[in-house]
Amino acid sequence: EAEVAQSPRYKITEKSQAVAFWCDPISGHATLYWYRQILGQGPELLVQFQDESVVDDSQLPKDRFSAERLKGVDSTLKIQPAELGDSAMYLCASSPFQAQETQYFGPGTRLLVL
Amino acid sequence: AQSVTQLDSHVSVSEGTPVLLRCNYSSSVSVYLFWYVQYPNQGLQLLLKYLSGSTLVKGINGFEAEFNKSQTSFHLRKPSVHISDTAEYFCAVITDDKIIFGKGTRLHILP
């Protein structure tokens, strides 16, 4: 069964450093999502792509976060500089096309900022 | 603003007994409703979803949920839980093409 791939699974960094996370969605899925999940909370949408275009990045802290999906396939989420409050699980999900369709989640990247 | 409220942050029940996980949402327009499960250090997995039609939805692992429009609820239940159901459960709502997750309910199954 096809899965969403994410790497790395775990990342420890010091504050003010740059970090990057990678996501490879299920083949053929047009929509890709990045979420941040703080411990004890539900996932919070950071950015949504439809193919290579950003559909929603209203909750993305654009002063330090950036995301791209240049060829409409895999995607990278970057944080620069990282802050202590960025420690969280970063989840990637994909869906075939429409918003009401099931989202398939990757295993996530757990980030710890020291 | 739309919101999703999971009324219990933690639920503990004994193995073999029924469980009810409650979810209420605020929306005056059409919604799509989902329940996801998250096992430790893993991503979320879909349990079931309501898009339209029958208000009683059956999902994987013996779970079911009932959509109640008048009460704006989508409670999840299972008649007899197993130790492997220990996980965190998230209710989610899609409205206006935006998805909102609840804060989750941590389910602990006692042997």
Side-chain angles (χ1 to χ4, degrees):
Chain A
E1 183 176 308
E3 296 180 342
V4 176
Q6 288 189 249
S7 67
R9 290 293 310 275
Y10 303 92
K11 179 70 178 178
I12 300 174
T13 190
E14 294 183 342
K15 63 180 182 179
S16 79
Q17 296 298 303
V19 292
F21 313 131
W22 177 79
C23 172
D24 191 14
I26 292 172
S27 178
H29 280 195
T31 311
L32 184 147
Y33 311 81
W34 281 103
Y35 292 90
R36 176 171 59 188
Q37 185 181 19
I38 296 170
L39 195 63
Q41 305 270 335
E44 174 194 21
L45 181 67
L46 292 175
V47 62
Q48 177 182 342
F49 289 92
Q50 190 68 32
D51 299 312
E52 66 275 8
S53 301
V54 173
V55 173
D56 183 357
D57 64 356
S58 56
Q59 300 301 312
L60 188 70
K62 298 181 188 62
D63 56 335
R64 297 185 300 108
F65 285 64
S66 64
E68 59 184 20
R69 193 184 184 198
L70 295 176
K71 297 182 180 179
V73 181
D74 59 338
S75 175
T76 302
L77 178 69
K78 296 178 182 178
I79 308 175
Q80 183 174 16
E83 296 181 352
L84 296 179
D86 296 331
S87 294
M89 175 81 91
Y90 290 83
L91 295 165
C92 179
S94 69
S95 66
F97 185 75
Q98 294 179 331
Q100 66 267 31
E101 295 189 49
T102 301
Q103 295 187 23
Y104 296 85
F105 284 80
T109 295
R110 185 168 294 282
L111 172 67
L112 178 60
V113 182
L114 303 175
Chain B
Q2 312 299 339
S3 66
V4 177
T5 302
Q6 292 185 240
L7 295 156
D8 306 294
S9 59
H10 290 84
V11 172
S12 291
V13 297
S14 297
E15 190 173 22
T17 64
V19 69
L20 176 71
L21 305 184
R22 297 178 292 169
C23 174
N24 286 90
Y25 64 91
S26 67
S27 176
S28 58
V29 297
S30 297
V31 296
Y32 304 108
L33 298 155
F34 300 78
W35 274 99
Y36 284 87
V37 60
Q38 186 176 33
Y39 299 102
N41 293 314
Q42 294 187 26
L44 279 68
Q45 178 185 2
L46 181 72
L47 275 177
L48 48 78
K49 61 183 177 183
Y50 171 81
L51 302 182
S52 65
S54 173
T55 57
L56 181 63
V57 180
K58 293 189 183 297
I60 63 170
N61 301 341
F63 283 92
E64 62 182 29
E66 185 152 20
F67 169 55
N68 187 318
K69 187 175 182 179
S70 63
Q71 296 186 4
T72 60
S73 68
F74 190 55
H75 300 333
L76 179 72
R77 56 179 183 246
K78 184 171 181 177
S80 176
V81 295
H82 188 268
I83 199 82
S84 60
D85 293 324
T86 295
E88 189 150 21
Y89 293 78
F90 293 93
C91 180
V93 170
I94 293 179
T95 179
D96 292 334
D97 288 345
K98 290 186 182 293
I99 187 166
I100 302 169
F101 284 86
K103 292 188 175 181
T105 297
R106 191 171 296 276
L107 177 61
H108 183 57
I109 308 300
L110 304 169

